[in-house]
Amino acid sequence: MSVLYTNNAATNLAASITNVATSLTVTSGTGSLFPNPTNTDYFLVTLIGISGSPIEIVKCTSRSGDTLTI
């Protein structure tokens, strides 16, 4: 298991998510800014509300294009 990372990658959600979401979609074409985990690899994603809060950190275990599994 490796923790993957990328420096200063940022994007916006393409659609709202709920507190029970297991995936999220980012703005079209920006998913490639993030790592592509395989097997047990993962990376952390910081979600920040439009107003600057709330802030939540989630674990991303898979990425397919612009969709991240969290």
Side-chain angles (χ1 to χ4, degrees):
M1 169 179 16
S2 294
V3 179
L4 307 174
Y5 65 92
T6 189
N7 288 322
N8 302 315
T11 188
N12 294 307
L13 294 177
S16 297
I17 59 172
T18 66
N19 62 338
V20 294
T22 58
S23 68
L24 59 85
T25 303
V26 296
T27 304
S28 181
T30 61
S32 61
L33 297 172
F34 299 91
N36 194 11
T38 57
N39 300 317
T40 59
D41 296 345
Y42 67 93
F43 65 95
L44 299 176
V45 177
T46 302
L47 302 173
I48 304 172
I50 292 173
S51 65
S53 69
I55 297 173
E56 183 173 355
I57 298 173
V58 297
K59 182 190 277 189
C60 177
T61 57
S62 177
R63 180 182 62 80
S64 177
D66 296 327
T67 302
L68 285 62
T69 301
I70 56 172

